[in-house]
Amino acid sequence: PLRYLSKLRELVKHEADKNKSQCKTMGPAKVAVPSPNDFLQKRSKEPKLAPKKKEEDGKKLLPLSVPPRTYHPVTRTKKNFISKNALAVMTGEPKKPRHFCVDTRQGDKYLLEPSGLFPKYINKKNYGVLPKYVIQRNEEMRREEEEYQANVLEQLKKKAMKVLSEEERTDILKALKKNWEEINRAYQGLPIVTDTRYKQMHKEELELKLKQLEHDIAAIEKHKCVYIANM
């Protein structure tokens, strides 16, 4: 019988030839050896400048009308700096000596003024005086408060609200406290045992009245200005 031949024989051959790489099994390929005359020369890889432009027809090129950036014009003055400096030295104030503090026997010294030992700030004329910005800020706050109060009064006048006087406020406060004392006396006189529904409801009603009166008294004592809307 004939030997078995696979149908994928050609495909396998093609895949095997495709995956082969050069110099994989048979060694390096034979290539031409470079000539010894083509050796690497010094500065051969550096960029070369363009050749200079030769003069056309033996004529020199005219210089540019705009001066280069490195051009600095020479300025000549008639000032005599030597006599000027000498005059400034003679008429100027002498240099004041600086205060030093020596703290070791080797003579190590340091300036006295920035050390904190020199009374620099307490001898200032404005020492302890409020700065101008603080005074300005306080004035602005006071002005804003006055404007706010004026705006509130204007709004209250528009809404037709009445301001209670000090006498009316005192009378109302006294009446509330007297009412609280009467209700508190009635609350203290309640029986200890509240075994009926009526006694419980009466006790809760007195407690609510006492709580409301305490809230009203605290509100009137806290606010000096009380406004009442005209109904």
Side-chain angles (χ1 to χ4, degrees):
L2 296 176
R3 189 176 60 176
Y4 171 75
L5 295 178
S6 176
K7 296 179 181 180
L8 303 177
R9 183 177 181 182
E10 298 297 331
L11 181 60
V12 171
K13 284 183 179 182
H14 177 70
E15 292 292 335
D17 294 339
K18 187 174 67 172
N19 293 331
K20 284 183 179 180
S21 59
Q22 190 178 7
C23 307
K24 187 172 183 181
T25 57
M26 304 302 294
K30 292 182 180 182
V31 294
V33 181
S35 175
N37 296 327
D38 299 336
F39 58 90
L40 184 64
Q41 298 181 2
K42 184 179 181 180
R43 301 182 184 276
S44 61
K45 292 187 177 182
E46 293 182 0
K48 296 181 180 181
L49 299 175
K52 294 183 179 179
K53 189 176 182 181
K54 296 181 180 180
E55 298 177 358
E56 297 178 359
D57 300 331
K59 297 180 181 180
K60 294 183 179 180
L61 297 175
L62 297 176
L64 298 176
S65 60
V66 179
R69 293 185 178 180
T70 56
Y71 173 74
H72 296 286
V74 179
T75 55
R76 297 179 181 179
T77 58
K78 296 181 179 180
K79 289 184 179 180
N80 191 352
F81 292 99
I82 297 176
S83 59
K84 182 180 178 182
N85 294 340
L87 184 63
V89 171
M90 289 185 290
T91 57
E93 296 182 358
K95 189 176 181 180
K96 296 181 181 180
R98 307 183 72 179
H99 300 281
F100 291 93
C101 179
V102 181
D103 58 351
T104 60
R105 60 184 180 179
Q106 281 80 14
D108 297 332
K109 61 182 180 179
Y110 55 88
L111 291 175
L112 186 63
E113 184 174 351
S115 66
L117 302 175
F118 187 76
K120 178 179 178 181
Y121 296 99
I122 61 175
N123 293 333
K124 293 172 68 175
K125 294 181 180 180
N126 57 351
Y127 179 76
V129 181
L130 282 176
K132 292 182 179 180
Y133 72 92
V134 176
I135 299 174
Q136 184 179 0
R137 180 65 59 82
N138 293 337
E139 185 68 22
E140 290 177 358
M141 292 175 63
R142 186 185 61 79
R143 194 183 304 112
E144 289 177 359
E145 184 66 23
E146 291 178 355
E147 292 177 357
Y148 175 75
Q149 293 294 339
N151 190 14
V152 170
L153 291 175
E154 186 178 357
Q155 293 294 332
L156 293 176
K157 288 179 181 179
K158 289 181 180 179
K159 295 179 180 179
M161 298 187 74
K162 179 184 177 183
V163 183
L164 282 181
S165 61
E166 188 64 25
E167 296 179 357
E168 293 176 348
R169 176 174 169 274
T170 306
D171 295 340
I172 292 173
L173 194 60
K174 288 181 179 179
L176 289 174
K177 290 182 178 180
K178 184 178 180 181
N179 193 7
W180 183 87
E181 291 177 357
E182 294 177 356
I183 296 175
N184 187 37
R185 191 179 301 111
Y187 182 78
Q188 295 293 335
L190 290 175
I192 299 175
V193 179
T194 54
D195 51 353
T196 60
R197 181 60 180 168
Y198 172 77
K199 292 180 180 180
Q200 294 177 0
M201 293 176 61
H202 186 51
K203 182 181 179 181
E204 291 175 359
E205 184 181 357
L206 293 178
E207 288 177 351
L208 289 175
K209 289 183 179 180
L210 288 174
K211 188 175 181 180
Q212 183 64 33
L213 286 171
E214 289 173 359
H215 178 268
D216 296 341
I217 291 170
I220 294 176
E221 288 179 347
K222 181 179 180 181
H223 304 285
K224 294 183 178 180
C225 297
V226 180
Y227 300 94
I228 300 176
N230 296 328
M231 300 302 292

